Amino acid sequence: MNLPNKLTILRIILMPVMVALFYFELYILAAIVFVLAAFTDMLDGKIARKNNIVTVFGKFVDPLADKLINIAAIIILSGKICAGGEKWYGIFAVITTVIIVSREIIITSLRALAANEGVVIAADKMGKLKTVLQDIAIVTMFIDESKFIDKIPFVNELIHWMAVIILVGALALTIISGVNYFASNKEIMDKITKDI
């Protein structure tokens, strides 16, 4: 097995580690594991492109691994926010989670259908930007949950509102990039949905 695929498998393994750390209330460690997973995503793509290593496994499992860890993180975080009694933030976090998860399932399914027709749809710049913003939102939310700077309430409040604002941005880009995905791949969408 080549190095990019090993890094992809490592990213999948890191997902339950992150979840376990989160439920032991080790939020900063969970954030570090999440950042490490995001770094392996960047690294495996760079290595694969540099060495021209393209495998069927990599094409399908690499984007799936990215989505799995992001979805796991946003689900556990929104659950914690709701359990914490922050009504409006909790409602917003859950709605955002549902939209993010739905978007990822729909796009991944359509990519699989396109691949079945022999068409590979690569992630565009807006989709990549969406992922980066989601990653930043998730890390900020982990830090917000940790409340590790309790002695400086102003900083905690600042981090909290940063998490909310970045999450709003991530939600907006999730929706916009999803619409853009369909618009920029209209011909492919028509082809794979012709028998509906």
Side-chain angles (χ1 to χ4, degrees):
M1 181 179 288
N2 62 50
L3 182 55
N5 288 345
K6 286 178 181 176
L7 289 170
T8 296
I9 290 171
L10 173 62
R11 194 153 63 257
I12 293 169
I13 293 168
L14 287 174
M15 181 183 66
V17 173
M18 175 195 70
V19 173
L21 290 168
F22 183 85
Y23 280 105
F24 280 107
E25 298 185 354
L26 300 169
Y27 303 120
I28 298 299
L29 285 178
I32 290 168
V33 169
F34 179 82
V35 170
L36 178 61
F39 178 72
T40 65
D41 176 32
M42 181 188 72
L43 190 61
D44 68 20
K46 192 173 182 179
I47 293 169
R49 284 188 296 273
K50 184 179 178 181
N51 298 294
N52 197 26
I53 303 169
V54 179
T55 64
V56 174
F57 178 88
K59 279 182 187 176
F60 287 97
V61 181
D62 178 65
L64 190 61
D66 307 338
K67 287 167 180 50
L68 284 173
I69 197 154
N70 276 45
I71 287 170
I74 199 78
I75 286 173
I76 59 176
L77 282 160
S78 63
K80 179 72 168 58
I81 291 163
C82 284
E86 294 186 68
K87 185 179 177 183
W88 297 112
Y89 184 32
I91 291 169
F92 173 68
V94 168
I95 290 170
T96 300
T97 299
V98 169
I99 291 170
I100 287 173
V101 172
S102 299
R103 187 260 189 209
E104 299 304 348
I105 290 171
I106 291 166
I107 299 301
T108 301
S109 300
L110 288 171
R111 273 189 176 154
L113 286 169
N116 192 50
E117 294 289 329
V119 178
V120 176
I121 303 174
D124 60 8
K125 286 181 181 178
M126 193 173 289
K128 289 176 181 176
L129 182 60
K130 175 268 305 177
T131 301
V132 169
L133 202 55
Q134 280 183 7
D135 289 352
I136 295 169
I138 286 166
V139 171
T140 310
M141 290 165 76
F142 274 129
I143 295 168
D144 182 35
E145 285 303 314
S146 74
K147 303 286 188 282
F148 75 103
I149 318 177
D150 276 336
K151 293 180 181 177
I152 316 173
F154 173 76
V155 176
N156 277 334
E157 191 72 12
L158 181 64
I159 290 169
H160 176 73
W161 284 107
M162 279 176 60
V164 173
I165 291 164
I166 297 168
L167 189 60
V168 170
L171 174 62
L173 262 184
T174 297
I175 295 167
I176 293 165
S177 66
V179 171
N180 181 65
Y181 179 92
F182 283 100
S184 59
N185 294 288
K186 190 177 183 305
E187 288 181 14
I188 298 167
M189 295 302 107
D190 289 342
K191 184 179 179 182
I192 64 177
T193 57
K194 64 182 182 292
D195 57 349
I196 292 177

